[in-house]
Amino acid sequence: MIIGKILKNEKTIRLNLDLNCTNCQNKVPGGIKASENYSKTVEFQKEIKEFKENYLCGICRDKNRVNRS
């Protein structure tokens, strides 16, 4: 998954986050790419925090989609 915008010639970094589904608490692999400049900003930290607080694994996400239909 890519967070933020990455310009054509910009350096990227890869982060491995410890992610758990907020619904079932299963551990999920969390590989994220971001530009090196964006990763040093406050907005990036806020976005990662919100991402971790609202993350659903594929199974829980699909259950929510089916229940909404």
Side-chain angles (χ1 to χ4, degrees):
M1 174 176 278
I2 297 174
I3 302 262
K5 290 188 177 184
I6 300 174
L7 301 176
K8 189 174 183 178
N9 294 325
E10 197 170 16
K11 285 186 177 182
T12 60
I13 60 168
R14 182 169 173 81
L15 303 169
N16 289 317
L17 301 176
D18 291 328
L19 289 175
N20 291 324
C21 176
T22 55
N23 191 32
C24 67
Q25 303 305 317
N26 284 338
K27 188 166 176 70
V28 182
I32 291 179
K33 281 187 179 181
S35 71
E36 190 173 20
N37 293 335
Y38 183 63
S39 67
K40 297 175 184 174
T41 63
V42 175
E43 291 85 14
F44 177 75
Q45 297 302 323
K46 288 179 184 177
E47 195 170 349
I48 292 292
K49 182 181 176 188
E50 184 178 326
F51 181 74
K52 285 183 175 183
E53 290 173 353
N54 298 314
Y55 187 78
L56 293 176
C57 68
I59 295 169
C60 293
R61 186 179 61 239
D62 290 345
K63 284 180 185 177
N64 281 348
R65 284 186 194 161
V66 170
N67 289 339
R68 281 189 272 159
S69 298

